[in-house]
Amino acid sequence: MLQFTASWCSVCREEMPHIEKEIWRPYKRAGLKLIGIDRDEAAAIVTRFGKQMKISYPLSLDIGAEVFHQFAADGAGVTRNIIINPAGKIVFLTRLYDPVEFKEMIRVIHSQLEEKNNLGIKGLRNKISALQSALSSGPYNSTATYDKKRLLMKLKNELRKLDQLQSYLNRNKPD
């Protein structure tokens, strides 16, 4: 998620606490990457702004609004969010702060994280299955067998973490 903002933007100031509370805090542990991008302000102003807004997600500088202008025309209002899926495709855009649209954005984020997590689980299960097959048909006391067993343990641990994330997502579906 890219969140374009500026300290002088009243709509941004209205939206940012919602982003912190309703998106960042619940979804960062599920793999969400969120970067606030401050449009064309000095580092000291941006640092003070982040503290004033009590946000914990990263807030970066966009000197000259170069990044902003990749997504919006000159003179366009700053308040906007861009949701990008793991494949790099923009899947949702907002302009200004509308509570109904904001709730839809949360649903899109949740759905994208579930999809990413499910693909990860499927991939790990396939790797684990292939590795278990290789171990059952190979020699038992070789260095390669030992390495495969270590890899299998690592993959099972990763799968357990993804299963936990999936449980978290299932328990915290948006309204």
Side-chain angles (χ1 to χ4, degrees):
M1 175 177 177
L2 300 178
Q3 180 246 341
F4 288 95
T5 190
S7 66
W8 47 262
C9 171
S10 62
V11 176
C12 301
R13 287 179 173 272
E14 179 185 1
E15 182 181 55
M16 288 173 80
H18 296 284
I19 291 172
E20 175 73 21
K21 182 180 177 189
E22 299 172 48
I23 295 175
W24 179 238
R25 286 186 200 160
Y27 289 109
K28 67 182 174 181
R29 73 182 78 158
L32 175 70
K33 305 295 184 228
L34 166 59
I35 301 172
I37 303 172
D38 187 277
R39 183 179 175 197
D40 203 19
E41 295 184 289
I45 293 170
V46 174
T47 300
R48 188 171 44 245
F49 176 45
K51 288 177 183 173
Q52 287 172 349
M53 297 309 302
K54 298 178 181 165
I55 59 168
S56 62
Y57 57 87
L59 190 55
S60 65
L61 303 177
D62 184 13
I63 304 301
E66 291 179 23
V67 176
F68 178 79
H69 288 127
Q70 291 181 27
F71 298 98
D74 271 342
V78 67
T79 310
R80 59 190 69 232
N81 298 296
I82 302 171
I83 308 304
I84 303 168
N85 72 9
K89 180 181 175 190
I90 294 173
V91 294
F92 199 82
L93 298 165
T94 67
R95 171 74 182 99
L96 296 174
Y97 173 67
D98 172 31
V100 173
E101 183 179 54
F102 192 86
K103 294 293 183 193
E104 180 58 26
M105 181 172 63
I106 291 171
R107 284 190 282 278
V108 168
I109 290 168
H110 190 94
S111 171
Q112 289 296 314
L113 289 169
E114 278 185 321
E115 186 177 321
K116 177 183 179 235
N117 198 49
N118 284 330
L119 287 172
I121 288 170
K122 183 179 178 182
L124 280 174
R125 285 188 176 146
N126 288 340
K127 287 179 184 178
I128 288 168
S129 178
L131 200 50
Q132 286 173 327
S133 292
L135 281 168
S136 68
S137 63
Y140 290 104
N141 293 325
S142 70
T143 302
T145 299
Y146 174 77
D147 289 343
K148 287 177 186 173
K149 286 181 179 181
R150 286 187 59 210
L151 178 58
L152 183 60
M153 286 180 9
K154 181 180 175 184
L155 292 175
K156 285 182 177 181
N157 188 43
E158 287 178 35
L159 180 60
R160 189 176 72 255
K161 288 177 185 176
L162 286 180
D163 282 335
Q164 289 170 346
L165 283 177
Q166 191 61 32
S167 293
Y168 174 81
L169 288 169
N170 289 338
R171 286 190 315 271
N172 294 287
K173 287 199 180 283
D175 300 331

